[in-house]
Amino acid sequence: MTPISPPGASASAPPAGLHGSLGTGAIIFMVVAAAAPLTVIGGSAPIAMMIGDGAGFPAMFVVAAVVLLLFSVGLSAMSRHVPKAGAFFTYIGYGLGRPAGLGAAYLALLTYTTVQVAVYGFLGAALRRSVMDIHGPDIPWYVYALAVVAIVGTLGYRHIEFSSKVLGPLLIAEVGIVLLLGVVIVARGGAAGLSAQPFTPHLALSGSPGLGLMMALAGFIGFEATAIFRDEARDPARTIPRATYGAVISIGLFYTFGTWALVMAWGPDRILDEAAKDPGGLIVRTASEYLGSVGAVAVNVLLLTSLFACVLSFHNVIARYQHSMGTTNVLPAGLARVHARHASPHLSSLVQTATAATVVVVFALCRLDPELEVFTWFSGVASLGVAVLMALTCAAVIVYFARTRADTRIWHTRVAPALGLIGLVLTAWLIAVNFPTLIGGSTTLATVLLLITAAFPLAGIAQAYALRRANRNVYDGIVDAIAA
C-alpha cells in the first residue's frame, strides 16, 4: 500500500492508499444506510406487494436473508485471505481468474449505478410531492434529483468518516420511527388482529413470488460492500466478517418485522387494495392512522432523509469500486488518487457524481416516470446484477479454497458457499424469467435491459483478454497481481 501523502501535499499527488479506523458499528451504519430501511418498507414494499406476492411479501425477506447469510459465510472466510478492498471483483478474480474478475467489476459498477439512479428517481418524485403538499411550486422531479446529486457529490468528496457521521443520526431516526410504528400497530392489534398469515405458503407463494423475492433482494443491495471498506477498517480480519453478518441479520429482522407490521396495520385481506391506491403514500397513511398527524409528518420527512442516506452511501461504494479498479489500471489511473487532506478517492467521487447527473438527465429527456419506471425498472436490473455477482462469488470461494487449502473448514469453504450458490442461481433465474412482467409486459424492453446487463461483464472479460495480449504488466496487475 502506498503511504498517504504528507499534510499539505497537493490533492493531485500520486495515488495514495485509503486509510481509517472504522469499527464494526460504523461500517454497519454505512451499509444498512445504503439499504435505506424506511425507503424499502415505505417505498419498495407496497410496490412489491402489488407486483409480487401481496400480503405474503414479508416472507420473502426471510428467504433472502437465509440465502445471503449462506453467501456471507464464504465472503467472510475469503476476506481474511484477500488483503485487498474490492469485494466482488477482487474475490471473483482470486477464485475464477482475472477475466472473470474484471467482468464482475464492470457488472458491479452497473449494478450499483442503476440502483443509485433508481433511488434518485424516487427521491426526486418524493421531494416534488412533499413540496407540492405544502403548496410549493411544481418543480420537475429531475431538478430535485440533480440538486441532491450535487450535495451527495460534495459529501462524497470528503473523508469517509464524515459521511458516516451524517448517515448515523439519519439511520437511527428512520429505524426508530419504523420500530415505533410497528410497536403501536402491535399494541393496537392491527386492523384485524395479529397473525402469522404472511409467512404461510398460501400467501407467500401467491401472485408472483419471483418478483417478490426480487424486490426483497433489492432491499439488501449494499450489505456486501462491507468488504469495500477493508482498507479503512480498524481491524479488517475481525471487523469485516462481524459487519457483514451484523448487516444481513439487522436488515433481515428489521425488514421482516416492518413489512409484517405494515400488513397487520391494514389486514392481510385489505393490504393489497390499500397499496394499490397510492403505493408511495401507504407508509404515510399508515403512520397517520396509528401515530397521528405528527407521526405522519415525521415519517414523510424521514423517508426523504432515508433516500438521501441511501444515495450517499451508494456514492461512497461506487467511488471505491472505481478507485480499486484504478489502482490496477483497468480504469484510468487518476481514479486511484487519494486526496491529501480528506484521504478520500476524490477524483473517483467526482467521476461518479458526473455519471449520476448524466444518467438522471437522460432519463428526464426520455420522460420516464421516476417511480413506476426509473425506480422499479432499474431496481430490477440491480437485483439481477447483484444476484449474479453473489453467485459468482460463491463459486469463486469454493474454487479458491479448493485450490489453495488456505482454510480447511468444510462449512465455511464448501457447504455454505454451495448452498448460497444454489439459492442465488435460482433467484437470478426467477428475476430473469419475470423481467417482462416487471417492465409492464414489454418483452422487447425487457430484452434490451437484460442485454445491457449482460454487455457490461462481457466488456470486462473482453478487456482482460485484450490486456493479456497487449499489456501483460497491466493484466498481471489485475486483482492484486495474483497468479493467473
Side-chain angles (χ1 to χ4, degrees):
M1 183 182 296
T2 307
I4 293 290
S5 302
S10 169
S12 59
L18 296 174
H19 75 292
S21 58
L22 293 174
T24 300
I27 295 176
I28 289 178
F29 266 135
M30 294 296 296
V31 298
V32 175
L38 185 53
T39 298
V40 172
I41 293 173
S44 297
I47 295 175
M49 292 175 189
M50 292 172 56
I51 67 174
D53 50 346
F57 178 61
M60 294 298 103
F61 283 123
V62 177
V63 175
V66 171
V67 172
L68 297 183
L69 277 173
L70 292 170
F71 162 81
S72 299
V73 172
L75 181 74
S76 298
M78 202 161 180
S79 70
R80 298 174 181 271
H81 301 277
V82 179
K84 180 71 176 175
F88 286 141
F89 90 86
T90 302
Y91 295 164
I92 292 171
Y94 267 67
L96 303 181
R98 294 181 180 85
L102 192 53
Y106 278 93
L107 180 56
L109 284 179
L110 174 68
T111 295
Y112 290 124
T113 299
T114 52
V115 73
Q116 185 196 37
V117 174
V119 177
Y120 273 127
F122 198 101
L123 178 54
L127 284 169
R128 173 178 176 268
R129 184 165 49 244
S130 297
V131 171
M132 292 181 65
D133 285 344
I134 58 175
H135 308 293
D138 184 1
I139 300 174
W141 69 270
Y142 53 83
V143 174
Y144 291 109
L146 289 173
V148 176
V149 168
I151 296 171
V152 167
T154 301
L155 293 174
Y157 189 90
R158 298 170 64 87
H159 194 279
I160 186 67
E161 290 184 357
F162 182 79
S163 292
S164 180
K165 291 176 181 177
V166 171
L167 294 176
L170 298 180
L171 178 59
I172 291 172
E174 64 176 285
V175 168
I177 196 70
V178 172
L179 290 177
L180 175 62
L181 178 59
V183 168
V184 173
I185 291 171
V186 171
R188 289 177 51 179
L194 305 179
S195 72
Q197 287 187 52
F199 305 103
T200 62
H202 172 69
L203 286 183
L205 299 179
S206 64
S208 299
L211 288 179
L213 183 58
M214 181 204 76
M215 295 298 285
L217 183 67
F220 285 85
I221 292 178
F223 90 90
E224 77 294 335
T226 51
I228 285 288
F229 301 105
R230 178 185 176 88
D231 290 346
E232 297 156 281
R234 182 179 300 127
D235 180 6
R238 293 174 178 268
T239 302
I240 299 304
R242 289 175 180 174
T244 303
Y245 290 130
V248 175
I249 294 171
S250 299
I251 293 170
L253 290 174
F254 184 80
Y255 286 169
T256 302
F257 173 73
T259 51
W260 170 81
L262 191 60
V263 173
M264 293 300 102
W266 299 98
D269 295 333
R270 288 181 54 199
I271 185 63
L272 195 55
D273 291 336
E274 293 295 332
K277 289 179 182 178
D278 177 19
L282 179 64
I283 188 68
V284 177
R285 285 189 287 119
T286 304
S288 179
E289 179 73 19
Y290 287 88
L291 299 180
S293 58
V294 174
V297 171
V299 166
N300 192 47
V301 171
L302 288 172
L303 177 61
L304 298 177
T305 61
S306 173
L307 290 160
F308 175 78
C310 177
V311 291
L312 174 58
S313 189
F314 273 120
H315 176 96
N316 286 324
V317 170
I318 298 168
R320 279 151 184 78
Y321 253 107
Q322 293 175 161
H323 169 84
S324 296
M325 295 173 72
T327 60
T328 54
N329 292 303
V330 295
L331 286 182
L335 295 175
R337 295 182 183 275
V338 175
H339 198 282
R341 181 160 60 91
H342 298 306
S344 65
H346 62 298
L347 293 183
S348 180
S349 177
L350 290 174
V351 169
Q352 209 290 302
T353 300
T355 300
T358 300
V359 176
V360 168
V361 169
V362 170
F363 289 165
L365 292 175
C366 292
R367 298 181 181 276
L368 296 184
D369 183 278
E371 293 175 309
L372 298 180
E373 295 175 333
V374 174
F375 179 74
T376 304
W377 294 0
F378 293 96
S379 291
V381 171
S383 298
L384 177 60
V386 81
V388 172
L389 286 168
M390 289 182 183
L392 289 173
T393 301
C394 286
V397 169
I398 296 170
V399 172
Y400 175 79
F401 286 117
R403 184 178 68 241
T404 66
R405 308 297 296 175
D407 189 332
T408 57
R409 295 174 296 173
I410 300 298
W411 170 255
H412 292 76
T413 62
R414 295 184 183 180
V415 178
L419 293 174
L421 174 61
I422 294 170
L424 288 162
V425 168
L426 178 60
T427 299
W429 177 78
L430 287 172
I431 294 172
V433 168
N434 286 279
F435 221 79
T437 304
L438 176 71
I439 302 303
S442 174
T443 303
T444 300
L445 182 55
T447 301
V448 169
L449 291 176
L450 290 173
L451 287 175
I452 291 174
T453 304
F456 271 75
L458 291 176
I461 293 172
Q463 183 188 15
Y465 283 114
L467 287 171
R468 190 170 69 175
R469 291 192 302 269
N471 194 332
R472 188 73 194 197
N473 288 335
V474 173
Y475 178 80
D476 289 341
I478 297 176
V479 195
D480 205 27
I482 59 173

